[in-house]
Amino acid sequence: MSNQKKRIVKIEPLKHMVNVDPKLTWKLLEDAIREIYNQNISDLSFEELYRNAYYMILQRFGDNLYSGLVTTLTKHIREVSELIEAAQGDLFLGVLKRKWEDHNKALEMIQGILMYMDRTFIPSTHRTPVYKLGLNLWRDNIIHSSQIQTRLLKTLLDLVQRKRAGEVIAGGGMKNAIMMYVDLGSSVYQEYFEKPFLEVSADFYSVESQQFIESCECGNYLERAERRLDEEMERASKYFATVTKAKIINVVEKEMVANHLQRLVDKGLVKMLVDDMYVDLRRMYSLFGRVSEGLSMIRDVMGCHVRETGKQLVTDPERLKDPMDFVQCLSDKKDKYDKIISLAFNNDKTFQNALNSSFEYFMNLNARTPEFISLFVDCKLRKGLDGISDEDLEVFYDKVLMLFRYVQEKDMFEKYYKQHLAKRLLSGKSLSEDAERSLIVKLKTECGYQFTSKLEGMFTDLNTSKDTTQGFYASQTAAKAGESPALSVQVLTTGFWPTQPRTSCILPAEILELCERFQAYYLGAHTGRRLTWQMNMGTADLKVTFGNGKKHELNVFTYQMCILMLYNHADRLTYKEIEEATKLPTSDLKRCLQSLACVKGKIVLRKEPMSKDIGVGDTFCFNDKFTCKSYKVKIGTVVTQKVSEPEKLEIQQRVEVDRKPLIEAAIVRIMKSRRVLDHNSIVAEVTKQLQSRFLPNPVMIKKRIEALIQREFLERDAVNMNVYKYLA
């Protein structure tokens, strides 16, 4: 940095005092001010004028100078006022603009001449500075003029109105007049322009909005409202003071949006949602977001609409007849509103939460929703997704999991899914093991290890069974292996797989002998275990020779195999003879005979007499004339894919039994940490802990509390019976 000392400049009085005549000196200054206003300054010496004003201040004639200035400026401005008032038509703003600019230029020159007075006399006497004085006199004589004031405001408001009507006008005069108000002070601007402008604008938009809403569709109205907002923002930025922009926007928002929220929602929101009108919905979201309670109104109406339409869907008897269509409609509905929230509502989390709440509400109105979702997955994974890419499979799983999250009775879904998975795996109809495991991994991530541990155990059993079967055949002699039918056994762990009713059945001798050999091998290799044969879950491939030497391979269930192999020793059997030889349950026997004798194109047995129903007096003959284009023929059973009523009842009972220890464990955890708690608090805490798996019934919670009291985990308080104490 330089070490040179800063030079200080001081203005000092002239050393030689000059006596001045105040009247004569002021006369010179007054004439100069007039010439400045007349724009005739070529002959003026500003240095001499400054010196004369300087001498008057030094010789204490400041009062004379200041009062003379006020008188001269006032006189001139009044003359200007008369000229402005006399201007006609469109010349009015032009004259005002020119005179205002002339006045400002003149004030700058006068301020330069009287600079010494501004610096010394005016601060010491607390008077208004020269430039500010000129503005105040303009305000008092021009703006406060009743004729100019009214005419100017009317002219400006008319120009604004013409702009709103779409006319193309020169806005220079309007902007200059408005900026004149601003230069004269914020109070002048607000009182003489901004306040009346906002009032007139409010009236205008109140009338216009009422006309629009009566004659337009909701979407068209919103488009006009948005256009009006854009126009006002542009106009405010171009012509008005900065503070006015927010105020005029608030006026438009109030009159065109806030005052019509309910009517706009009632008139068009539901239609927009139904018809996927993304542009209109986005515009409504944008406009309603500008006003208080606007978005909450859209959100509430959307939520109510989703709830009502969803309720109609899940309670429609026709929909319940087809679980696939039921779940597909739920998935499509979720996709529809996810897209609306994404494209129209800016991925607003509050809207997503409202949508989730609505889906959770109506999906749990139907107790069969967990079953239907499991059936939906079951149908898709039974080769229904064959050929699908890995990416599309992931999308499918994500959609299923989204619906699964809304289900409160997740343990009920687990039981149904377990039932369906078992049937897929045992019948070999699953899409692929990788596809099955991928969904189980997602369920594990969603609900934890405990939720999927048994499902994973099912796959472990299948892989172990392959090794067991290979070991069995490796232990057999070549002679025994060659003369026996091929046997593939799935050894299932009881705890992993759905329990099945035990049914008796007399197997053909050659099959029975093979089963006994396998059982001996297995029990010899694994001590302490017990095998129970589930005949109702097996299948068989039979090679059959019909008349004329035609051969086919029939894929049948174990029960059907037992019936067909009777015809190796007879061509004709009665119902009673078949029943006695197989010992099949009546319902299963009739269903198997119906599938073998009554299904068009697959009549392996001829029934006498011919009818669709099976009777105890019927006779069944081997059909030598059976023909089929395919060598391999699958013989199904007349049973639906849906879970049977006994199975449903058993699933529900198992779920109720499984819930008891979960509720008791939650109660003990809570009481162990809290020690003393009242009944309602226990119910609330247990519900909170278990709601991710299922929604416990307060009645069941009460019963489990009573059970824990009997087993001396808890005791009632001696004074208040609704309070429980934990016993260590």
Side-chain angles (χ1 to χ4, degrees):
M1 295 180 61
S2 174
N3 292 324
Q4 294 181 357
K5 294 183 178 180
K6 294 183 178 180
R7 298 178 60 188
I8 300 175
V9 180
K10 294 183 179 180
I11 300 177
E12 297 180 352
L14 292 176
K15 295 180 179 180
H16 303 287
M17 182 65 65
V18 178
N19 293 323
V20 297
D21 182 347
K23 292 183 179 180
L24 181 60
T25 304
W26 168 243
K27 178 64 175 173
L28 292 172
L29 292 171
E30 182 181 24
D31 291 342
I33 291 172
R34 287 198 181 97
E35 292 299 323
I36 289 172
Y37 272 115
N38 292 331
Q39 299 181 8
N40 187 16
I41 61 173
S42 58
D43 296 332
L44 297 179
S45 172
F46 284 90
E47 182 181 354
E48 181 182 348
L49 293 172
Y50 173 84
R51 191 180 303 117
N52 287 327
Y54 173 78
Y55 286 144
M56 288 190 71
I57 297 299
L58 285 182
Q59 297 183 23
R60 302 184 184 281
F61 295 120
D63 288 330
N64 299 39
L65 180 58
Y66 192 85
S67 61
L69 175 65
V70 171
T71 302
T72 302
L73 292 180
T74 302
K75 181 179 178 181
H76 173 75
I77 292 172
R78 285 176 178 172
E79 293 173 354
V80 171
S81 176
E82 293 176 359
L83 292 174
I84 295 173
E85 290 174 3
Q88 300 296 319
D90 295 339
L91 297 177
F92 174 71
L93 285 182
V95 173
L96 178 64
K97 174 179 181 294
R98 188 171 62 255
K99 292 300 181 181
W100 168 247
E101 291 173 349
D102 292 346
H103 181 63
N104 274 291
K105 291 178 182 178
L107 282 179
E108 290 176 0
M109 296 180 187
I110 295 169
Q111 184 184 32
I113 294 171
L114 304 177
M115 185 183 301
Y116 191 72
M117 183 177 72
D118 252 353
R119 292 182 177 179
T120 58
F121 176 78
I122 288 177
S124 63
T125 58
H126 307 290
R127 302 195 185 189
T128 305
V130 173
Y131 194 86
K132 181 65 175 175
L133 174 65
L135 296 180
N136 291 346
L137 291 174
W138 182 274
R139 175 197 64 198
D140 296 339
N141 294 277
I142 302 294
I143 303 304
H144 287 176
S145 169
S146 58
Q147 293 186 16
I148 295 177
Q149 176 185 329
T150 304
R151 186 178 176 187
L152 178 57
L153 179 61
K154 183 178 183 303
T155 301
L156 293 176
L157 294 180
D158 285 345
L159 288 173
V160 172
Q161 187 58 35
R162 288 167 60 188
K163 292 282 284 184
R164 286 172 177 161
E167 291 187 35
V168 178
I169 61 172
M174 179 173 72
K175 182 176 182 179
N176 183 268
I178 293 172
M179 289 301 105
M180 177 189 71
Y181 282 127
V182 175
D183 293 342
L184 293 175
S186 59
S187 60
V188 175
Y189 173 75
Q190 292 172 5
E191 180 180 356
Y192 292 103
F193 176 73
E194 186 183 71
K195 183 179 179 181
F197 166 70
L198 295 176
E199 290 174 352
V200 169
S201 298
D203 293 339
F204 169 77
Y205 283 115
S206 175
V207 174
E208 183 178 78
S209 65
Q210 194 62 39
Q211 293 173 347
F212 281 175
I213 205 166
E214 293 290 347
S215 60
C216 297
E217 292 290 333
C218 180
N220 294 334
Y221 178 89
L222 294 172
E223 185 178 1
R224 290 192 178 190
E226 185 178 59
R227 186 166 63 247
R228 282 302 195 191
L229 273 170
D230 293 340
E231 290 173 357
E232 289 298 338
M233 283 191 283
E234 181 183 0
R235 191 157 36 246
S237 299
K238 191 173 183 180
Y239 297 110
F240 307 147
T242 305
V243 295
T244 305
K245 183 176 181 178
K247 295 178 182 179
I248 185 60
I249 295 304
N250 287 337
V251 168
V252 180
E253 290 171 350
K254 178 184 176 184
E255 298 299 334
M256 298 206 74
V257 182
N259 290 348
H260 302 287
L261 286 178
Q262 191 62 54
R263 189 166 182 184
L264 288 170
V265 165
D266 294 342
K267 191 172 184 179
L269 178 55
V270 172
K271 184 177 185 301
M272 293 178 189
L273 292 171
V274 172
D275 295 340
D276 297 332
M277 302 169 70
Y278 302 117
V279 175
D280 290 337
L281 286 170
R282 189 185 308 117
R283 185 174 288 119
M284 176 177 279
Y285 177 84
S286 174
L287 292 174
F288 277 46
R290 293 174 168 272
V291 300
S292 176
E293 305 300 326
L295 293 182
S296 63
M297 185 172 291
I298 298 178
R299 188 167 56 245
D300 293 344
V301 172
M302 183 196 76
C304 289
H305 173 69
V306 173
R307 285 188 177 213
E308 289 304 314
T309 54
K311 183 178 179 180
Q312 293 173 9
L313 190 155
V314 300
T315 57
D316 185 359
E318 294 300 319
R319 294 284 188 192
L320 300 181
K321 294 179 181 179
D322 186 353
M324 291 293 296
D325 181 59
F326 178 89
V327 179
Q328 189 61 55
C329 286
L330 291 178
S331 179
D332 292 344
K333 190 177 188 69
K334 184 64 171 60
D335 289 344
K336 170 188 175 73
Y337 285 97
D338 280 344
K339 189 174 181 181
I340 287 175
I341 291 174
S342 174
L343 297 180
F345 297 153
N346 197 32
N347 280 322
D348 193 316
K349 295 298 182 184
T350 61
F351 279 73
Q352 190 63 59
N353 292 338
L355 181 64
N356 293 339
S357 176
S358 299
F359 265 78
E360 183 175 355
Y361 163 76
F362 72 74
M363 282 182 60
N364 290 284
L365 293 177
N366 190 331
R368 301 189 66 185
T369 299
E371 175 193 356
F372 285 177
I373 294 177
S374 180
L375 280 170
F376 181 75
V377 176
D378 182 59
C379 181
K380 294 294 185 181
L381 291 181
R382 284 176 177 267
K383 306 188 187 307
L385 297 173
D386 198 13
I388 191 173
S389 65
D390 292 341
E391 292 79 8
D392 291 338
L393 184 62
E394 288 296 312
V395 171
F396 168 74
Y397 284 158
D398 289 340
K399 290 182 178 181
V400 169
L401 284 174
M402 181 59 68
L403 298 179
F404 169 74
R405 292 187 188 107
Y406 298 134
V407 175
Q408 293 174 347
E409 310 294 336
K410 291 181 173 59
D411 55 345
M412 190 70 74
F413 170 85
E414 178 195 2
K415 291 295 187 292
Y416 280 112
Y417 186 78
K418 185 177 176 182
Q419 194 90 6
H420 295 140
L421 175 61
K423 291 182 178 180
R424 287 199 302 276
L425 296 179
L426 295 178
S427 62
K429 294 181 178 178
S430 178
L431 180 65
S432 70
E433 183 175 337
D434 289 341
E436 296 283 4
R437 285 186 177 276
S438 178
L439 180 55
I440 291 175
V441 168
K442 290 181 178 293
L443 289 172
K444 183 178 180 179
T445 304
E446 191 73 25
C447 301
Y449 170 77
Q450 186 179 4
F451 190 87
T452 59
S453 59
K454 294 181 180 180
L455 302 179
E456 292 174 329
M458 295 165 72
F459 287 95
T460 303
D461 280 351
L462 293 181
N463 293 329
T464 304
S465 295
K466 293 178 182 178
D467 297 336
T468 302
T469 302
Q470 291 175 359
F472 167 67
Y473 277 106
S475 68
Q476 303 297 299
T477 63
K480 287 184 178 181
E483 65 189 19
S484 301
L487 178 68
S488 176
V489 181
Q490 308 287 1
V491 183
L492 313 179
T493 305
T494 302
F496 294 159
W497 297 77
T499 57
Q500 298 289 336
R502 294 184 61 181
T503 56
S504 60
C505 172
I506 299 178
L507 292 172
E510 53 266 58
I511 303 298
L512 180 60
E513 189 269 338
L514 185 58
C515 290
E516 289 174 349
R517 290 210 317 262
F518 177 85
Q519 185 164 344
Y521 162 79
Y522 185 83
L523 295 179
H526 303 85
T527 58
R529 296 190 182 183
R530 184 177 61 183
L531 284 180
T532 302
W533 294 92
Q534 296 285 351
M535 305 300 182
N536 58 321
M537 299 173 66
T539 61
D541 292 329
L542 298 178
K543 293 182 178 179
V544 184
T545 302
F546 294 93
N548 299 324
K550 292 182 179 179
K551 295 182 179 181
H552 289 281
E553 184 176 302
L554 304 184
N555 178 259
V556 296
F557 291 96
T558 303
Y559 288 168
Q560 295 168 327
M561 175 198 71
C562 294
I563 295 171
L564 289 175
M565 290 188 71
L566 295 176
Y567 287 89
N568 283 333
H569 310 289
D571 292 330
R572 184 184 185 91
L573 294 169
T574 65
Y575 176 88
K576 288 292 186 181
E577 290 172 336
I578 296 173
E579 184 179 33
E580 182 66 25
T582 60
K583 297 296 183 182
L584 287 172
T586 302
S587 60
D588 292 327
L589 177 59
K590 288 185 175 181
R591 190 163 61 248
C592 290
L593 288 173
Q594 196 173 17
S595 62
L596 292 170
C598 300
V599 177
K600 186 177 180 180
K602 297 181 180 181
I603 300 177
V604 181
L605 302 178
R606 287 186 289 105
K607 176 179 173 295
E608 298 176 359
M610 288 299 297
S611 65
K612 292 183 179 180
D613 298 324
I614 304 297
V616 294
D618 293 343
T619 302
F620 299 88
C621 304
F622 185 73
N623 183 16
D624 282 327
K625 297 180 180 179
F626 175 83
T627 58
C628 185
K629 293 181 180 179
S630 302
Y631 172 71
K632 292 185 177 182
V633 181
K634 178 175 176 57
I635 307 296
T637 57
V638 285
V639 61
T640 61
Q641 180 188 346
K642 299 179 185 178
V643 179
S644 63
E645 289 301 324
E647 287 178 324
K648 286 182 187 177
L649 183 59
E650 184 182 355
I651 288 174
Q652 291 173 355
Q653 291 173 348
R654 288 205 307 270
V655 168
E656 294 297 324
V657 171
D658 292 345
R659 286 179 178 179
K660 291 179 181 180
L662 293 176
I663 295 174
E664 289 181 355
I667 295 172
V668 171
R669 283 196 302 270
I670 293 165
M671 292 303 298
K672 191 173 183 178
S673 63
R674 305 288 287 274
R675 312 302 294 184
V676 178
L677 208 59
D678 65 274
H679 180 81
N680 290 337
S681 298
I682 292 178
V683 172
E685 290 285 343
V686 170
T687 302
K688 183 178 179 180
Q689 283 197 15
L690 298 178
Q691 64 184 358
S692 63
R693 187 170 177 84
F694 65 93
L695 200 62
N697 190 323
V699 176
M700 181 177 285
I701 296 175
K702 184 177 181 181
K703 289 181 179 179
R704 299 336 305 156
I705 292 174
E706 296 293 341
L708 290 172
I709 291 174
Q710 291 178 3
R711 282 144 52 195
E712 297 184 351
F713 283 91
L714 308 176
E715 69 174 1
R716 295 184 186 274
D717 184 75
V719 178
N720 189 345
M721 299 296 287
N722 280 327
V723 175
Y724 306 99
K725 295 181 179 179
Y726 177 71
L727 300 177

